[in-house]
Amino acid sequence: MSEAKHFVPTLSASIARIAFDTPLDRLFDYRTVDACPDDIGRRVEAPFGTRTLIGVLLELADATAVPLENLKSLHAIDRSTPPLPADLLALARFFAGYYHHSLGAVLAMMLPPALRRAATPAKPAEALAYRLTETGRAQAEQIPKGHVARKTLAEKFLRGEGTRTEVLRADLTPRDKSVLRDWLKQAWVEPVTPSHADVQTDVMPALTDEQAFAVAAIRAAAHAFSALLLHGVTGSGKTEVYLRLVEDSLARGQQVLVLVPEIHLTPQLIERFARRFPGRKLVGLHSNLAAGERRNAWLDALEGRADIVLGTRLAVFTPLPRLGLIIVDEEHDSAYKQMEGMRYSARDVAVWRAHERKVPVLLGSATPALESWRNAREGRYTLLSLSKRAHSQAVLPKVRLIDSRTDRPRQGLTTALLSGLEQRLQRGEQSLIFINRRGYAPTLLCNGCGYVFPCTRCSAHLVLHRNQSGYRLVCHHCGLIARPPEACPECGNLDLRPAGQGTQRVEETLAEHFPAARILRIDRDTAARKGAFAAMREQVEAREVDILVGTQIVAKGHDFPHLTLVGVIGADQALISPDFRASERLFAQLMQVAGRAGRAQHPGEVLIQTAYPRHPLYQSVMRHDYPGFAETALRERRGADFPPYVSQALLRAEAREEADALGFLLAARDAGLTLKTGILLFDPVAALMARIANHHRMQLLVQANARQRLQQFLGQWLPLLQALPGKGVKWSLDVDPMDY
Ligand code: ADP
Ligand code: ZN
């Protein structure tokens, strides 16, 4: 290609440089007649090969190295939506550089899917809440008994008095929603911005001393960048601190970005925001929105109509021209890490973004990520602590460790736990059994030869599940389903037994022990249907449930005031995990699930069944001592040269043939060694899940003492990797990996 500049004779800038969603990390030049500096950051439609693509205009120029006869013209510039603001373009550049992706691909990821394609007509967004119209009220009162679906929804609307006539979308089941669609057409209901649906909770409590201190400290930092870590035990009133700061920002005319790990697990948080700021526009942003809804929410933010954007990790890329504050709730949660495709940590991106925008970022958690804790200890983040529960009567639950070597569990349950449950049933209080394994039993075992059924496609055991039609063996990694055989394929023995406990089996055992108890299981299988989670929460709140059995999804952010006992089974598993982060996750889960007990006036109790009651991790849980746990864990990490004391990147390779993946990684390693940077390159090894759906997964760990040096190395290494043959190999680079 000629290096000479070709000048195009027009009056305004004549060359537009466009970023497209391709792995090629470069801009593409086009002829344009009317592009001006205002168009930087706008979406354009342009011919690309034989296709038409949407790209983002990033630069204007008078000259190009492309020969004139090869230079194509832009089809169109989208001026109906505002351009991506400069700070978002800067964020994209940082992101592309740090995570080593092409700028065009990063920009495409930042756009809502509907705007990655050519224009489509807008659809109205779903509202956050609905209320009956005059007609609707009259009609709703007269729905006959037999019409169950309509009657149920009518009752939801009519339950309250005065202002309590609106229903939040989070409270609607799928059945409600289908009725609602009809009612919207008939103008029986209308969308509203949620207001004081519950006047009681709208009362602003007087802050506790600790809350007041935290609020004052963050206020003092409001006009510049600062990263603040709000460490508060469950129920200490972190949300109230958020609300006060949001109020400040809104009063200054600013927008606020609130990130949550999983939107459907946090309806109570959304409601509290909606109720506290009834006149403000609150939009949700997450991947479960329909394309049109997501685009509209994004445009509301970009065009400045939205005051509060509350969303999951992808919301960290929302354009916010008046951004004044970023809050990351449950900042330790692994849901902030995108684990596939373009991997990134939304928490880290949030901190970088706050820095760039010179605004404060508040990270809240009862069990901060060890990375964040270390940042606070070393002065990079400001630490603010809430050590007591906010309600004057609410005390932290008492944690007891039940030694399962002396109190031998039968069907997974110790006598101590059973009698605890019995007590709660007698007192009419609720209990929760936490077991982080769904299905009936983790394995099906041959009692003759010890054979355990493997997945034929993955390096994992099949999990036994049970439904109305009987037992099935299911692979939790590739979805394979098999019927359990009559006899062991190895020795022919007919005595095949479920080994261990899953949520279904615990549910069954509890039903045998307590035939009168109303038991509800909540795990990914029962919560799969949309709206199922909200329906379950309602049941628990209405006290139609005595015992909840659930995985970690019940542990998150829920406030069940009548729950006074939490039983934990099967936790020891995590202590023997080869993943060095397993204990950090276990500690967070235990603290979180323990936090569900005794939220209001009722004191709570937590019983943990374990064969290692002296283990320091459990001892810290018993004392509710996160700092103690963190100090020990960080000391171990430092001793073992693990993050956060070193920076890592993981080169992952996947192939049908193990040799192909290995060959690629060995070549990658050799290429890295030629750079002579002194970076630590480990030997390629199999991933912890070595095979999924017949694809072999291998990885190469790269490690450095300083982030900067690692980044420098990656920048030099990546072009070499792209030049490797790597036939049949899918590879990707994961900077700051969280799973191995
Ligand atoms: P966290 O988010 O730290 O788990 P929440 O913000 O949900 O805690 O607060 C726990 C409970 O305490 C809630 O019911 C909340 O309404 C209440 N609460 C928060 N702050 C106060 C306060 N200053 N006075 C009284 N109650 C409070
Ligand atoms: Zn499988």
Side-chain angles (χ1 to χ4, degrees), residues 363-395:
L363 311 175
S365 176
T367 51
L370 290 174
E371 282 81 0
S372 303
W373 189 252
R374 178 188 180 219
N375 280 329
R377 264 194 11 176
E378 296 183 358
R380 285 182 291 276
Y381 295 176
T382 304
L383 179 64
L384 300 162
S385 295
L386 307 177
S387 62
K388 293 185 281 291
R389 287 195 155 179
H391 265 295
S392 48
Q393 305 103 317
V395 287

Side-chain angles (χ1 to χ4, degrees), residues 201 203-208 211 232-244 269 272 329-330 366 386 389-392 559 596 599:
T201 56
V203 174
M204 227 195 274
L207 295 181
T208 63
Q211 283 173 323
V233 298
T234 48
S236 59
K238 291 185 289 296
T239 312
E240 188 59 40
V241 173
Y242 302 159
L243 290 168
R244 297 298 171 103
L269 185 73
R272 279 173 74 183
D329 188 31
E330 306 290 357
L386 307 177
R389 287 195 155 179
H391 265 295
S392 48
D559 206 344
R596 299 307 116 206
R599 296 282 282 187

